[in-house]
Amino acid sequence: MRAGSPRLLREINDRAAIEALLQRGAMTRSEVEAIIGLSKPATAQLLTRLEQDGAVVRDGLRGGSRGPRAQLWAVNGALAHVVAVDLTPSHADIVVADVTGAILAERQAELPEGGPEVVTAFADAVRATVERAGLVPDQLCSVVVGSPGAVNPADGHLGFAPHLPGWEGFDMPGRLRELLQAPVTVENDVNLVALEEMVAGRATDTGDFVLIWLSEGIGAAVVINRRLLRGATGGAGEIDWMRVPDLADADTGIDSRGIRLGDLLGSPTILKLARAHGLSARNAWSAVRKARSAGADGLPFLTDLAKRIATGVAGVVSVVDPQLVLLAGETGQAGGEQLCGLVATELHELVVPRTPVAPTLVTGNPVRAGALHSALALARQKVFGLTAAAAEPFRGSPRPA
């Protein structure tokens, strides 16, 4: 194998240093040296070169009780800016950040209930948030929108999202690019939750997993070899449309021919199941929390709910045989380890793989967080030549000086 040219080695080392600074924040020269494996003079030359190119900046000093204070170096956040959005039928949760991930502005904007004006209102809300950050949209390097349903890559139309009126029948990413005058990517919201779990949650070291979103809506994300499976039309994981039987012991009047999974696991139907077990609550996740607090008295309801969840997951697990099933969303989070254990027990009655089931770890708004990581990965690829893997925890290896 021929040795790499000096220019190629410099580029490799430069990217390794930038990636380390992006993942770990401001560092001293000696810390950068330890991570990328260069000599002290080579690391000093690298940082000087990156500073001259505008890629890094001096970011204060780190002092100690003894000896001189050390210069800190950081990636120049002003090189690129991104926007991440969690789009729902009622509002848009928007965040603006620089290329380091530092938050510059955020806003939750109410949206009209459908109609042609909803797209314009959305674009206006994004522009207002960008202006709040002291920017204009054409300064944006990447905009990622997390949306229910999925965009067909052939025509840009949003599918599988009847609960998002006003967004159908046109090239959704194309229209938003025109309105914002910026690069726009639209990604399925549950896929973004799976991405966030790969970056900062339970799936950081998992190659193949299935994430089930249980909330007002139902959805799934399928990850194979740490890549999202989107399908030919973007509809991979849209399990809410499957028709399934109800295996719950309690009779809630569901037709023997089965029911759409999205209805079976929707909040109104889960509340009906809870009432059949003597529990009253205002939504599905409240019913689950109440059942867990009730101890043995709440177990029959949780078991029936686990049977319903396992019925919906069984087909995916049988085909994919993942390493892990994750339960996300308000209902999944409310169930915690107890509900996951019950789902695993019921699932193993239905399929051959003995797949473990666990709750997701990411809290807050995982859709917006996943959209932000996706937007940052796209921006860093454009600006620094880093691959999307740079969004994952840094695992750099030493480079020859």
Side-chain angles (χ1 to χ4, degrees), residues 12-47:
I12 292 172
N13 289 330
D14 287 356
R15 282 196 291 269
I18 289 169
E19 187 174 354
L21 289 168
L22 286 170
Q23 294 296 333
R24 299 170 184 250
M27 291 190 290
T28 65
R29 188 267 315 151
S30 61
E31 289 169 338
V32 175
E33 172 190 330
I35 290 172
I36 65 176
L38 292 177
S39 65
K40 178 178 178 179
T43 304
Q45 291 173 5
L46 177 151
L47 290 171

Side-chain angles (χ1 to χ4, degrees), residues 208 310 313-314 316-326 340-358:
D208 304 333
V313 177
V316 182
V317 170
S318 294
V319 173
V320 175
D321 188 17
Q323 296 168 266
L324 180 64
V325 170
L326 292 173
C340 288
L342 293 170
V343 171
T345 298
E346 299 298 332
L347 181 63
H348 298 165
E349 292 292 322
L350 301 174
V351 299
V352 172
R354 313 328 266 172
T355 309
V357 181

Side-chain angles (χ1 to χ4, degrees), residues 181-195:
Q181 292 297 296
V184 177
T185 301
V186 180
E187 178 63 273
N188 173 261
D189 51 2
V190 183
N191 281 349
L192 291 173
V193 177
L195 171 61

Side-chain angles (χ1 to χ4, degrees), residues 227-242:
R227 291 185 178 273
L228 285 164
L229 178 66
R230 293 180 173 85
T233 64
E238 294 296 335
I239 61 173
D240 58 332
W241 292 88
M242 295 192 310

